[in-house]
Amino acid sequence: FAKKGDVIAELAAMHERLTTMLAPNEAIGDADADEIDRLVFRAAGLSKDEQNCIRDFVRVHLLMIKGKVEKDAIRGPNEHEVPTYLATLRDQLDNYMADEGQPASHHISAVCDHQTAMIEIVLREGKPAEPIVRKANESEASELKKTRSRLLKKHRQWIYFDRNLRLYSKGRLYLFKPLQRIQWTRRQAILDADELIAEALGSSGD
């Protein structure tokens, strides 16, 4: 833990600076918000995963509570968010395997059309590989469209709220996710990894 007095002093200095710079009712910028987060997280001694979960919850997932559907939460993920989600998912799954004394890496790729992504997860020996993200070809896009139509026919709100569809085939795991920002945060990757691990543990005990 950082010394509480040091962090309080830094926060007080930042507060004084911001109050002299900002007009009444003017919101602070992203850089200043990040700095405030850093100081608070430092004081609390939070891990990187805990910090990511809090940031994503406040900035994205909190936009979808109490029946709200905010555009910024359901917009398409940007070019950085999908690879970051996939890398976080891989790291969480790999760390679990390492903790269990089974060093291996999950190779993860995603095929995307304009609305949906299909993620493929394969466990392999060797070092971690960078996740692959690519645009669906004509045939893949057609299959994604069919899958999306079946999901929406079964549950009209899936595109916003429902859990990911998961399929297992020949030692490979496939996840179908709507291309909406709320589904591609680091927090969601941690939650998805926890759910996959829990399912694997449950099936191994049957």
Side-chain angles (χ1 to χ4, degrees):
F1 286 76
K3 290 183 179 180
K4 187 178 294 186
D6 293 343
V7 175
I8 291 175
E10 291 184 65
L11 285 169
M14 173 169 280
H15 177 268
E16 184 177 354
R17 178 175 65 81
L18 291 174
T19 52
T20 58
M21 289 176 53
L22 299 177
N25 300 321
E26 182 181 356
I28 65 174
D30 290 342
D32 288 321
D34 287 341
E35 179 63 13
I36 292 171
D37 287 347
R38 184 189 68 79
L39 291 171
V40 174
F41 294 155
R42 178 179 154 211
L46 299 179
S47 69
K48 185 177 180 181
D49 283 346
E50 291 169 332
Q51 294 176 32
N52 289 334
C53 281
I54 292 171
R55 283 196 186 98
D56 289 338
F57 178 76
V58 171
R59 299 182 184 184
V60 183
H61 294 262
L62 201 59
L63 300 177
M64 299 287 284
I65 65 170
K66 296 182 179 179
K68 295 190 298 184
V69 180
E70 297 287 347
K71 290 183 179 180
D72 196 45
I74 60 172
R75 66 161 172 78
N78 62 36
E79 61 181 325
H80 304 295
E81 287 166 339
V82 173
T84 297
Y85 167 93
L86 297 176
T88 303
L89 181 65
R90 176 203 62 201
D91 292 345
Q92 294 296 311
L93 296 174
D94 286 359
N95 289 341
Y96 170 76
M97 295 296 292
D99 290 342
E100 293 297 304
Q102 303 178 47
S105 183
H106 294 79
H107 289 230
I108 301 180
S109 60
V111 178
C112 310
D113 66 6
H114 64 291
Q115 286 184 289
T116 313
M118 180 186 73
I119 302 170
E120 180 186 65
I121 303 175
V122 185
L123 182 62
R124 294 176 179 164
E125 295 182 357
K127 297 180 179 180
E130 285 299 311
I132 298 171
V133 182
R134 64 181 179 84
K135 185 177 180 180
N137 59 36
E138 187 174 345
S139 174
E140 292 167 333
S142 177
E143 288 302 314
L144 285 173
K145 184 177 180 180
K146 290 177 184 177
T147 300
R148 185 166 58 246
S149 296
R150 288 195 295 269
L151 288 166
L152 288 172
K153 185 177 181 180
K154 181 179 179 181
H155 183 21
R156 294 297 305 175
Q157 294 302 313
W158 173 82
I159 204 70
Y160 298 118
F161 302 116
D162 206 20
R163 293 182 178 184
N164 308 320
L165 171 66
R166 290 186 286 275
L167 299 174
Y168 296 86
S169 177
K170 299 178 181 178
R172 295 168 186 260
L173 170 63
Y174 297 92
L175 307 180
F176 291 84
K177 293 175 71 73
L179 276 179
Q180 296 177 323
R181 184 190 182 197
I182 194 170
Q183 293 283 352
W184 299 89
T185 63
R186 290 166 295 190
R187 176 180 183 270
Q188 190 59 49
I190 293 169
L191 296 175
D192 288 346
D194 288 346
E195 204 167 291
L196 293 175
I197 292 167
E199 284 188 0
L201 290 174
S203 62
S204 65
D206 294 339

